[in-house]
Amino acid sequence: MWLRDEILKSIWHAFTALDVDQRGKVSKSQLKVLSHSLCTVMKIPHDPVALEEHFKDDDKGPLSNQGYMPYLNRFILDKVQEEFDVLEFNKMCWTLCYKKNISTKHLLISDDDAFKVWCIFNFLSEDKYPLVMITEEIEYFLRKLMEAMGSGWSEEKFCDYKLQLHTKNNRLSAWELIKLLGLGHFTKGMTRQTISMGIGEVFQELILDVLKQGYMMKKGHKRKNWTERWFVLRPNSLSYYVCEDLVEKKGDIILDPTCCVESLPDKEGKKCMFIIKCTDKSFEISVSDKKKKQEWLQAIQTCLQLLRLGLPSPHREARLRRRELRQRQMTEEDDLAERMKHLQAANENKQRQLEGMRKKMEEAAARAAEEEHRRKQTQLDLQDRYRLDLEREKMVRQQMEEQVAQKSSELEQYLLRVRELEDMYRRLEEALEDEKQAKQDEEAMRKLQASLLEEEAVKRAELERFHRQQQRALSQTEAEKQELVAEQRLKERELQAAMLQLEKLERERLGALEQYQEVSMKLERAANKTKTWKDKVAKHEGLVRLIQPGHKGPQRITNWGPASFTDVELELRKKSWQERKNQGAPAQ
């Protein structure tokens, strides 16, 4: 389904692109080419003579948009009989206009993404020419885009950008909107792929009327088998494809007010099922979990409810509500301005009335004084007449006093309003004083920060001085370390000398041990000889000596054999050996 207003916006872009001289007019030959392209895309027969017939009375040359519009409505748009591809129509108009207005080489978005932004601009722009997008719709689109990209909305950044928009009358053209996204003002830090996916998601929702999409299992009508399909929900249909690239379309489930959607219990090994009942067929569908099932049920029921109420898609309804709200706000602002003008005029009128009454009172007072003077001069002759005049004057004075009292009350109300305004002015002055005090406090804080920085510099100097002291201490420690190393080397040399002395003593010990073994062997041979001699003596003499117990203490063994000398002699030998050792060490 196409809307005439949205189609005319795309045609306006193409018409404007043909206006090379920027005069607001296009030649008839170019309009013939444009009309032929429109008829081809919109699937209607093209009549090349119709343009000349329609403008045969207008031979002044190029035509304006206003002059071309009646021909466009009568000979092209009114003849559309069947649905045509609106996306292809928009691409044709985009091809005619984008190269003359913008280049995407230095932008963060591709030509395809720029085309999608252009379509979104046509959808959200105002129905006035030249086409512009106002601040509220820019904010709506940017919020949608940031939500689609998974990024948070920065109200502060958009407020700063609104100040820049103020210089452009709070509106943007299609090419300015494309540059805004392409230069990354609101998408800083995001990749091209993320920006492209976000633009694509917003394009599908706003332009292609895609309310929901995703994979689900569908039961076949003939073979009764379950097949996974990519489903796309639009306001009046639920289409399903082989996969999410939308290339191979398998079918459509046409939604109308008579359709209904119901939940089904689990069966045939399938869970989370629901059924869509149409007039001629019913479709059983299964999803992966209960959450997705609830989301799909709610989305399809929303579409059916909109169809029953005869309402457009949700985002189109939201766009209408935003425009109606803006219209009401503009009407209320105009009414408020009109009331303010009336109040100001009434106030000025009251001021003039009060000024007139004051002058009248002054004049009356002057006349009364003059009359009083006249009465005093003629008091004796005209006392009766004076009395009558006096009574008449009293009546006039009472009336004047009543009028003065009434005007005084009005004047008091006016003065009360003036005092309220003065009080408001005084509060504003107090607010300005508070702001001035805050600036003074800020200056004091700045001075305090400066003093802290100076203190930090002093501390840094002290730390550097301490560092230099540490360096000197380290150099002293290094010198002491070198002395200790020299002393250690001296000790090592002494240790090596002691080790050499020890090795010498070890060699002497080994030599003494060898001498001890030789003496032992000699003693053993001597003992054997003595035993043999004793046995011979006993045998010859016939004498047998009794064996008496000897000393049970441990025998002392030296290098010269067992019990060669006494303990005293051993102690003397030990002392003399120690003295020789001590004398040999200093000599080395």
Side-chain angles (χ1 to χ4, degrees):
M1 181 179 179
W2 57 278
L3 296 177
R4 186 179 293 253
D5 292 338
E6 297 179 6
I7 294 297
L8 288 175
K9 289 181 180 180
S10 300
I11 297 175
W12 178 83
H13 281 291
F15 182 91
T16 307
L18 296 176
D19 181 14
V20 180
D21 299 332
Q22 308 245 336
R23 296 182 301 165
K25 293 186 177 182
V26 179
S27 65
K28 290 182 182 179
S29 60
Q30 289 177 313
L31 292 179
K32 285 182 181 180
V33 176
L34 175 61
S35 301
H36 183 270
S37 301
L38 293 176
C39 292
T40 303
V41 175
M42 302 177 81
K43 300 179 181 180
I44 58 175
H46 177 59
D47 186 2
V49 186
L51 184 68
E52 295 292 342
E53 289 288 332
H54 185 73
F55 295 108
K56 64 182 179 180
D57 297 331
D58 187 3
D59 295 329
K60 296 180 181 179
L63 300 175
S64 65
N65 187 38
Q66 290 80 8
Y68 180 64
M69 194 61 65
Y71 167 81
L72 180 66
N73 286 313
R74 178 181 174 186
F75 291 95
I76 298 179
L77 299 182
D78 291 344
K79 291 183 178 181
V80 177
Q81 300 291 335
E82 58 182 281
E83 291 294 331
F84 61 93
D85 191 344
V86 179
L87 190 60
E88 182 182 356
F89 173 83
N90 286 329
K91 284 186 178 179
M92 186 272 294
C93 295
W94 164 259
T95 304
L96 290 175
C97 66
Y98 87 97
K99 289 184 179 179
K100 297 181 180 180
N101 290 282
I102 196 168
S103 174
T104 59
K105 290 182 179 179
H106 304 292
L107 301 181
L108 297 175
I109 58 177
S110 62
D111 289 346
D112 185 55
D113 294 332
F115 164 69
K116 293 177 181 178
V117 175
W118 180 77
C119 293
I120 294 170
F121 170 85
N122 290 339
F123 177 74
L124 296 176
S125 61
E126 299 297 299
D127 295 335
K128 297 178 183 179
Y129 297 93
L131 294 176
V132 292
M133 185 187 291
I134 62 174
T135 307
E136 290 80 2
E137 296 298 332
I138 295 172
E139 181 179 2
Y140 173 78
F141 168 58
L142 291 177
R143 282 181 181 272
K144 281 275 187 187
L145 181 60
M146 301 307 286
E147 181 182 354
M149 292 189 297
S151 177
W153 173 251
S154 176
E155 190 68 34
E156 181 179 357
K157 185 182 291 185
F158 185 75
C159 289
D160 294 339
Y161 180 69
K162 281 202 294 188
L163 296 177
Q164 301 177 16
L165 272 181
H166 188 67
T167 59
K168 301 179 182 179
N169 296 324
N170 295 322
R171 59 191 65 190
L172 288 179
S173 66
W175 318 114
E176 290 172 337
L177 180 64
I178 293 172
K179 286 182 180 178
L180 174 65
L181 294 180
L183 295 176
H185 186 79
F186 288 92
T187 57
K188 189 173 293 183
M190 297 184 182
T191 61
R192 288 174 174 264
Q193 183 178 5
T194 303
I195 298 172
S196 177
M197 291 177 63
I199 294 174
E201 185 173 338
V202 178
F203 176 79
Q204 286 185 348
E205 179 181 353
L206 298 183
I207 306 304
L208 302 182
D209 285 337
V210 176
L211 303 181
K212 189 171 179 59
Q213 54 186 345
Y215 281 107
M216 293 191 293
M217 301 292 292
K218 173 185 167 296
K219 186 177 182 180
H221 287 89
K222 295 180 179 179
R223 291 186 293 177
K224 303 299 180 183
N225 60 332
W226 290 88
T227 309
E228 186 179 43
R229 300 296 185 201
W230 177 263
F231 284 81
V232 177
L233 177 63
R234 296 183 175 88
N236 55 1
S237 67
L238 179 62
S239 305
Y240 48 96
Y241 303 80
V242 173
C243 59
E244 55 187 292
D245 58 6
L246 307 182
V247 175
E248 186 177 354
K249 188 175 183 180
K250 302 301 290 184
D252 290 309
I253 302 174
I254 304 302
L255 303 177
D256 55 52
T258 61
C259 295
C260 66
V261 58
E262 298 175 357
S263 178
L264 288 179
D266 299 341
K267 62 179 181 179
E268 300 178 5
K270 298 295 179 182
K271 297 182 179 180
C272 303
M273 297 176 59
F274 61 90
I275 185 171
I276 301 175
K277 295 180 179 179
C278 298
T279 305
D280 53 348
K281 288 183 180 180
S282 295
F283 300 87
E284 294 184 12
I285 299 174
S286 172
V287 295
S288 58
D289 53 53
K290 293 182 179 179
K291 181 181 178 182
K292 289 185 179 179
K293 174 183 176 181
Q294 188 63 30
E295 290 175 354
W296 277 102
L297 284 173
Q298 185 175 357
I300 297 172
Q301 287 173 353
T302 301
C303 290
L304 295 177
Q305 186 69 18
L306 292 174
L307 289 172
R308 294 187 186 104
L309 297 176
L311 297 176
S313 58
H315 56 272
R316 294 182 184 273
E317 181 70 18
R319 182 186 64 175
L320 292 176
R321 286 199 299 269
R322 291 197 303 274
R323 289 183 177 178
E324 291 174 357
L325 179 60
R326 287 199 298 271
Q327 190 66 30
R328 285 198 301 270
Q329 289 177 349
M330 292 175 61
T331 305
E332 291 175 357
E333 289 176 359
D334 294 340
D335 293 342
L336 182 59
E338 190 67 25
R339 287 199 298 270
M340 290 296 294
K341 288 181 181 179
H342 288 320
L343 288 174
Q344 187 175 1
N347 189 18
E348 293 176 355
N349 190 21
K350 290 290 183 183
Q351 290 285 349
R352 288 194 296 270
Q353 289 179 1
L354 289 172
E355 187 67 22
M357 290 299 299
R358 187 181 62 78
K359 291 180 179 180
K360 287 181 180 180
M361 288 175 64
E362 291 177 355
E363 292 175 358
R367 286 196 302 270
E370 185 180 356
E371 188 68 26
E372 184 71 21
H373 181 68
R374 193 182 296 115
R375 281 198 306 272
K376 286 180 180 180
Q377 290 180 353
T378 60
Q379 185 176 8
L380 296 174
D381 300 332
L382 303 172
Q383 189 171 5
D384 293 338
R385 186 178 177 182
Y386 169 77
R387 189 179 295 111
L388 294 174
D389 292 338
L390 183 59
E391 291 175 356
R392 189 183 301 112
E393 186 65 25
K394 286 181 180 180
M395 293 177 62
V396 172
R397 186 173 295 175
Q398 288 177 358
Q399 293 176 358
M400 291 296 293
E401 287 176 354
E402 291 176 357
Q403 292 179 0
V404 168
Q406 181 179 359
K407 297 301 180 181
S408 297
S409 63
E410 294 177 356
L411 181 60
E412 288 175 358
Q413 293 178 359
Y414 176 74
L415 292 175
L416 180 61
R417 177 61 179 166
V418 170
R419 284 195 293 273
E420 291 177 354
L421 292 174
E422 290 176 352
D423 186 32
M424 187 183 298
Y425 179 76
R426 187 170 59 256
R427 289 198 295 270
L428 287 174
E429 286 183 345
E430 292 175 357
L432 288 174
E433 287 295 330
D434 293 339
E435 183 179 1
K436 187 182 295 182
Q437 184 64 31
K439 289 183 179 179
Q440 293 176 359
D441 294 340
E442 183 181 1
E443 185 66 25
M445 288 299 296
R446 192 176 293 111
K447 291 180 180 179
L448 180 59
Q449 287 179 354
S451 64
L452 290 175
L453 289 174
E454 292 177 359
E455 292 178 4
E456 185 178 355
V458 173
K459 290 181 178 179
R460 184 173 296 174
E462 291 179 358
L463 287 175
E464 290 178 355
R465 182 172 54 81
F466 182 68
H467 178 69
R468 289 194 294 271
Q469 292 177 358
Q470 284 186 341
Q471 291 292 334
R472 289 194 295 272
L474 286 173
S475 61
Q476 293 176 1
T477 306
E478 187 67 24
E480 293 176 357
K481 182 179 178 181
Q482 292 177 0
E483 293 178 359
L484 290 173
V485 168
E487 186 177 355
Q488 183 180 2
R489 289 176 180 172
L490 181 60
K491 295 291 185 180
E492 287 178 353
R493 287 195 295 270
E494 293 178 355
L495 180 61
Q496 289 177 359
M499 291 294 292
L500 292 173
Q501 184 68 24
L502 183 61
E503 289 176 357
K504 182 179 179 181
L505 292 174
E506 182 69 18
R507 286 194 298 272
E508 291 178 356
R509 187 184 68 80
L510 291 175
L513 183 59
E514 289 176 358
Q515 292 178 3
Y516 168 73
Q517 290 176 355
E518 291 177 358
V519 171
S520 296
M521 292 175 64
K522 289 179 180 180
L523 288 173
E524 186 177 357
R525 286 195 297 270
N528 290 331
K529 288 180 180 180
T530 304
K531 184 178 180 181
T532 303
W533 181 78
K534 287 181 179 180
D535 288 340
K536 288 179 178 180
V537 171
K539 184 176 181 181
H540 286 91
E541 294 182 358
L543 298 173
V544 178
R545 190 179 298 175
L546 294 174
I547 299 173
Q548 295 180 353
H551 181 63
K552 295 183 179 181
Q555 291 184 354
R556 187 172 301 276
I557 299 176
T558 64
N559 293 335
W560 294 273
S564 296
F565 44 82
T566 63
D567 291 337
V568 177
E569 291 175 344
L570 180 63
E571 191 68 27
L572 291 173
R573 288 176 179 271
K574 183 177 181 182
K575 287 181 180 181
S576 63
W577 174 80
Q578 188 69 31
E579 288 175 358
R580 286 197 306 271
K581 179 180 179 182
N582 293 336
Q583 290 175 0
Q588 293 178 357

